[in-house]
Amino acid sequence: MKADNVPQDYISTYAENKKAIYATDEEGHYGVVASSGWDVEEEATKQALHELERLADDAYETVLSEEASPLLYHMYAQRMDLQVLAQTTGIFQWRIKRHFKPEIFAKLDDEFLARYSDVLGMSVEELKVLPLRGDDV
Amino acid sequence: MSDFKHTHAAHCESGVMSSMLRHHGLNLSEAMVFGLSGAMVFAYLPFIKMGGMPLIAYRMMPKAIIKGLQKNIGIEMVMQTYSKPQEGTKALDALLAEGKIVGAQTSVFWLPYFPDEMRFHFNAHNLIIYAKEDQNYQISDPVFEHPVVSDVKGLEKARFAKGIMAPKGLLYYPSYVPKQVDFETVIPKSIKKTAKMMLKTPVPIVGIKGIRYLAKHIRKLENKDRRYAKLFLGHIVRMQEEIGTGGAGFRYVYASYLDEASALLKNDALFEASKMMTAVGDEWRDFALMIAKAIRSKKSESIDYDALADKLETVAASETEVYQRLLEAF
């Protein structure tokens, strides 16, 4: 790729930062070019973000209708999945799935809930509730 | 400390090591660091999932660049982890007070200066801390154009994030840096190693075979859930372009290495191979563009998975030629 052809698409995912791309001069010799982004990359990143948002939105509804505990929502809202939540807390996936049940989640004490809230980057109080819509991360 | 110079790099680990070595008097570009450490590869591990998606790697495992440099050019590194965040912060502050610049492993998700849409749970990001002013660390994060800043708590959280590849506050700096490198020996050695790995690794998930294996699985996406298929395709592009590869899954960085090596060794064959590798990088980029079009397609439009797989097969064939040329370059 020639330096002149390095995309400068000012993609939103970079939030006005630039990444370093390696590109050549006319003879094929390399230099580093600061790029404001390639829209192909933006599409792929946004696809992943939107999927997590979709999961978080669905979870929000499920929690509202009292079919799941707020843990399900907060997991996706913090861009985690069951595997990451298990790996970061050290709690087995089968146990976490039990904690998605509202009646079981309600019985967990604050000391235990802190194991979740710590890795999710929130207080135990925040973990126990849904944020107001339009309020979230 | 105050004479430390930040440089913009494509990739965190190679960027950190290039900056660090330069600070200690050994001038190696990021491309040289990347090439000499033998970090370039391709691997497709469908049985290991991250974010529900199979592992696709265009470089060797985290720390392979640091370890590769230790092995191939004889630098010696001090690497230290800590069990408690406060301990880790104290240690960092003590090293900075000694005037050292320090490499650190961190989670990307918790770094305060990272743009929101780039934050995912990845624990093996590397950066350099080169000073502390009041309650803020001055950070040289190679993938950013300019130095950045983090408060103490923020960096602590990023350094001690939990999960897979948890950093455990890892700090590192060199204890010995050679004054020069025997390029005549290490360049051919590193190139042959990379070429052989890509051509000859006898398992289907690594190297050229790995690229073909991925192509095979792309063909099979026809029979999978469409949402999953699109996410799978998007994931390939993310691993190739988003994670900081300098473009085309490190192929441009490697071509840059071959370009520099050619000049250092006065070897024209290496420059020819560099140009071939640039063309390969362009093909990877074309492949990514095809994917972007495919994932944009509406429900009523069918995705041509065969066309995508065919393109990837072409990439595999072109890459094969580069490595074969490289094995004949010395």
Side-chain angles (χ1 to χ4, degrees):
Chain A
M1 176 165 64
K2 299 249 178 359
D4 290 340
N5 294 333
V6 172
Q8 299 289 353
D9 296 339
Y10 286 94
I11 64 181
S12 77
T13 50
Y14 283 13
E16 307 193 355
N17 290 286
K18 291 185 180 177
K19 285 192 191 172
I21 298 296
Y22 280 68
T24 71
D25 61 18
E26 284 307 312
E27 275 77 59
H29 294 293
Y30 269 89
V32 174
V33 177
S35 164
S36 61
W38 190 24
D39 49 28
V40 165
E41 183 192 325
E42 183 183 39
E43 287 188 59
T45 304
K46 285 208 145 130
Q47 184 198 43
L49 289 170
H50 289 157
E51 176 63 8
L52 286 160
E53 280 164 20
R54 181 188 73 88
L55 290 165
D57 287 345
D58 285 356
Y60 195 96
E61 295 302 326
T62 309
V63 174
L64 263 186
S65 57
E66 294 175 9
E67 288 162 28
S69 67
L71 181 62
L72 181 71
Y73 168 79
H74 287 297
M75 175 181 73
Y76 290 127
Q78 292 297 81
R79 298 191 186 148
M80 291 191 183
D81 57 17
L82 191 55
Q83 184 189 35
V84 174
L85 190 53
Q87 285 163 353
T88 51
T89 56
I91 300 168
F92 286 123
Q93 289 190 25
W94 66 264
R95 273 190 95 193
I96 299 176
K97 283 195 222 173
R98 289 190 75 236
H99 300 155
F100 289 151
K101 296 189 184 162
E103 65 278 11
I104 300 198
F105 182 80
K107 295 204 191 112
L108 299 172
D109 63 30
D110 283 6
E111 202 189 318
F112 187 87
L113 287 176
R115 292 176 67 180
Y116 285 124
S117 64
D118 270 352
V119 305
L120 291 165
M122 58 186 61
S123 67
V124 168
E125 293 318 306
E126 285 169 318
L127 177 65
K128 290 178 187 174
V129 297
L130 285 178
L132 292 173
R133 245 193 269 251
D135 212 33
D136 53 24
V137 288
Chain B
M1 195 186 56
S2 52
D3 61 345
F4 172 77
K5 193 169 161 285
H6 170 79
T7 315
H8 198 190
H11 187 65
C12 63
E13 198 181 336
S14 44
V16 161
M17 289 314 292
S18 172
S19 273
M20 201 171 263
L21 292 178
R22 196 174 309 130
H23 185 74
H24 284 87
L26 181 61
N27 235 325
L28 288 176
S29 67
E30 174 183 28
M32 287 298 289
V33 162
F34 185 78
L36 288 174
S37 63
M40 191 165 84
V41 81
F42 181 87
Y44 170 50
L45 282 66
F47 43 86
I48 297 186
K49 301 275 198 277
M50 285 173 60
M53 288 292 137
L55 180 56
I56 297 172
Y58 292 81
R59 58 148 291 176
M60 308 269 273
M61 299 188 37
K63 299 222 200 56
I65 293 173
I66 297 172
K67 290 182 182 162
L69 288 175
Q70 287 179 281
K71 182 159 179 264
N72 298 338
I73 66 174
I75 63 168
E76 283 165 26
M77 301 290 292
V78 174
M79 320 265 294
Q80 190 78 46
T81 55
Y82 306 89
S83 48
K84 288 190 173 59
Q86 299 95 308
E87 213 190 307
T89 295
K90 259 174 108 182
L92 171 60
D93 291 350
L95 288 168
L96 291 173
E98 283 174 42
K100 286 193 164 59
I101 63 157
V102 192
Q105 185 183 331
T106 64
S107 152
V108 146
F109 190 85
W110 297 110
L111 285 170
Y113 56 82
F114 243 76
D116 176 62
E117 292 184 324
M118 283 169 59
R119 289 165 184 263
F120 294 90
H121 291 283
F122 177 68
N123 282 333
H125 183 59
N126 293 274
L127 48 85
I128 289 176
I129 304 120
Y130 62 92
K132 189 179 188 186
E133 257 155 61
D134 300 318
Q135 287 305 298
N136 285 314
Y137 291 110
Q138 308 292 317
I139 290 171
S140 169
D141 186 321
V143 304
F144 287 78
E145 227 183 335
H146 307 292
V148 290
V149 162
S150 171
D151 63 298
V152 172
K153 279 293 159 209
L155 186 63
E156 208 177 84
K157 190 151 181 74
R159 288 177 59 202
F160 287 89
K162 298 190 180 139
I164 285 296
M165 294 187 292
K168 298 187 193 141
L170 174 70
L171 296 176
Y172 52 91
Y173 55 90
S175 53
Y176 170 69
V177 176
K179 294 265 182 296
Q180 50 215 26
V181 174
D182 178 10
F183 291 120
E184 299 281 333
T185 307
V186 297
I187 288 178
K189 206 166 147 203
S190 67
I191 288 175
K192 284 177 196 169
K193 188 144 184 265
T194 294
K196 282 183 191 162
M197 180 153 50
M198 285 298 295
L199 288 174
K200 299 187 180 171
T201 307
V203 295
I205 56 177
V206 174
I208 301 296
K209 289 195 186 68
I211 301 174
R212 297 217 152 96
Y213 193 34
L214 177 58
K216 193 167 132 191
H217 279 204
I218 290 174
R219 263 182 240 285
K220 290 190 181 166
L221 288 174
E222 186 79 63
N223 308 318
K224 301 245 189 236
D225 169 66
R226 192 178 160 97
R227 170 180 280 148
Y228 172 80
K230 283 179 151 192
L231 285 168
F232 183 98
L233 292 173
H235 172 72
I236 300 173
V237 172
R238 292 185 65 207
M239 295 303 104
Q240 185 184 311
E241 301 294 339
E242 181 192 308
I243 67 155
T245 68
F250 298 104
R251 271 62 188 149
Y252 292 144
V253 172
Y254 200 77
S256 179
Y257 169 57
L258 296 176
D259 181 24
E260 236 182 292
S262 156
L264 278 168
L265 300 185
K266 301 197 184 3
N267 180 323
D268 288 338
L270 289 179
F271 184 54
E272 289 311 307
S274 171
K275 287 193 280 191
M276 287 171 77
M277 190 57 97
T278 299
V280 164
D282 292 346
E283 290 193 65
W284 277 107
R285 299 274 285 191
D286 288 342
F287 172 64
L289 183 56
M290 284 174 74
I291 287 180
K293 292 188 177 145
I295 65 186
R296 239 180 262 155
S297 66
K298 305 215 188 334
K299 278 200 174 73
S300 52
E301 297 165 329
S302 64
I303 295 175
D304 193 349
Y305 297 103
D306 276 330
L308 290 168
D310 288 345
K311 181 67 183 176
L312 194 52
E313 290 278 357
T314 311
V315 170
S318 303
E319 262 203 44
T320 302
E321 284 182 35
V322 186
Y323 300 121
Q324 286 168 343
R325 180 68 66 92
L326 284 171
L327 287 177
E328 296 160 5
F330 303 104

